[in-house]
Structures are given as C-alpha cells and as structure tokens.
Amino acid sequence: RRFIWSDWDDEDCFRSSHAGANQATGILREQCPGNHFTFESFACSGAGIDRGLLGEYTGVKETSPVLPAQIDLLEAWAKGRTIHALVISVGANELFLEGWVAACAACRNDKRIDCNTGCQKFHEVADELRKQLPSKFKALHLELDKRKNTLKIEHVFMTED
C-alpha cells in the first residue's frame, strides 16, 4: 500500500486512513470475513489529554478552527452503542515532544547552538512535565467514569505514544 503525505482524511488533525490502526482493521476484515469490525479514529496530531482529548484543541495548523474535545466526538459518534475496545494513545504531547524534536533537529543542523545545554534543559523540563502525567491520567479516568452511562465501553486500552 502506498502512503501519500497529502492524503489526509482530516487536514486539521493530520489524520489519515493510512494510519496503522486503520490498516490493521482492514487486514482483520479481510482475514475474518465472518466478523464485523467498526473502526473510527478521532486521533489528532499534537493533541494531549487536557487540550484535545478532554478539552478543545486548535489543531496543528495555524489556520485550524477550534476543534471539539475528542471525548465529545466519540460520545456523539457512539450514540449509546457499546464500544467493545477503546484504544487511547496519549502521552508524548504532554511532554511537548514535538517541540523538543524540532529543537534537536535545529541544534544538529546549526553548530552555533549548544546542544548539550539544550538536551539538559529538555531533561529538566520533561522530568517536571512527567510528574504531572499521573494526575492527567486520573482526570481522563474520572471523565470516562463520569460518562459511563452515555459511553458504554467494555475495555479501555491505554498506550503511550
């Protein structure tokens, strides 16, 4: 299968049907024709727990509109149906990983920048942000629990991206 970078299903979130989970669902459908698989992605590049999953988010492009919380989109899509498996991949954006990767790339390409100082600063900031993760995951758990009557979820799988 060929991936086309500009082939976005949602340009504000850089969401594509070429993503791994979409492709895996397609393979399941092909290999298990007697079973029914429904897959819907609410992924949004750059989103985190507070901004994106539980709260509004402006997307990755400067021209993106304010996007509703992914949990609200999920709830509207589900319409009371049972969700057998909800997969949530979150974590890296809580540490602002994208910004640090860009800074490291700039450091590598510009010898005038002191990479050692930047890397040390990254570790310090990341350690502080990492300490906030348990409370953010707890807020996510509490929100899912609060919506248990409208979001009928059998299993929740958390992965760190």
Side-chain angles (χ1 to χ4, degrees):
R1 297 181 186 186
R2 198 180 88 176
F3 184 81
I4 302 169
W5 284 102
S6 63
D7 188 17
W8 302 114
D9 297 325
D10 184 322
E11 290 191 20
D12 293 314
C13 287
F14 293 162
R15 184 169 50 240
S16 170
S17 59
H18 299 290
N22 295 55
Q23 292 184 36
T25 304
I27 291 169
L28 281 172
R29 285 184 185 123
E30 290 170 9
Q31 294 185 356
C32 306
N35 295 302
H36 176 74
F37 298 93
T38 300
F39 175 81
E40 186 68 27
S41 177
F42 300 98
C44 198
S45 292
I49 295 172
D50 297 333
R51 295 177 315 109
L53 193 51
L54 299 179
E56 293 179 337
Y57 175 59
T58 55
V60 290
K61 295 171 30 180
E62 289 182 22
T63 58
S64 296
V66 174
L67 305 169
Q70 292 160 310
I71 195 166
D72 293 336
L73 294 172
L74 172 66
E75 191 172 54
W77 173 83
K79 296 179 185 157
R81 290 181 288 194
T82 298
I83 298 170
H84 299 289
L86 174 63
V87 180
I88 300 173
S89 180
V90 70
N93 291 324
E94 301 303 321
L95 304 177
F96 300 105
L97 189 61
E98 180 182 322
W100 292 108
V101 169
C104 287
C107 173
R108 188 170 179 200
N109 294 325
D110 189 341
K111 300 303 179 199
R112 298 171 295 172
I113 301 172
D114 179 5
C115 292
N116 292 329
T117 302
C119 288
Q120 179 60 37
K121 184 68 175 165
F122 165 73
H123 288 294
E124 292 169 10
V125 172
D127 285 343
E128 286 304 310
L129 292 171
R130 197 174 294 116
K131 291 176 188 175
Q132 298 172 17
L133 283 176
S135 64
K136 290 181 181 228
F137 282 113
K138 182 171 179 126
L140 174 57
H141 172 77
L142 291 172
E143 186 63 30
L144 287 171
D145 193 54
K146 184 172 89 175
R147 296 178 188 228
K148 66 183 171 190
N149 291 327
T150 55
L151 277 176
K152 299 171 184 165
I153 303 169
E154 291 182 352
H155 303 283
V156 177
F157 299 95
M158 297 288 297
T159 65
E160 291 183 271
D161 56 7

